[in-house]
Amino acid sequence: MTVDTVDIEEAEPTSAGIRTKEVHRLDRVVIRFAGDSGDGMQLTGDRFTSETASFGNDLST
């Protein structure tokens, strides 16, 4: 599955112990789901597709 644009957040500790997040914008991300027959991979892909589309991301499988 491929998502065209996504924001990646990374938590960075500071000297005060407060965590801040840096956001990176990526043009392309590849996410692969793998499993054996009966592991629910079709359901996993279907739910991921629905959730990703609900946030306005373009998705191709």
Side-chain angles (χ1 to χ4, degrees):
M1 298 183 173
T2 304
V3 178
D4 289 331
T5 305
V6 68
D7 292 332
I8 303 295
E9 296 181 355
E10 295 178 4
E12 305 234 353
T14 62
S15 59
I18 299 171
R19 294 182 157 246
T20 60
K21 291 186 179 182
E22 183 177 338
V23 177
H24 300 277
R25 190 155 199 70
L26 305 175
D27 292 328
R28 184 178 170 106
V29 175
V30 176
I31 300 173
R32 295 183 179 166
F33 297 104
D36 290 328
S37 178
D39 282 350
M41 288 295 102
Q42 186 171 355
L43 180 61
T44 301
D46 181 55
R47 289 193 177 168
F48 180 77
T49 299
S50 297
E51 287 298 314
T52 301
S54 71
F55 285 100
N57 292 310
D58 292 329
L59 180 77
S60 61
T61 58

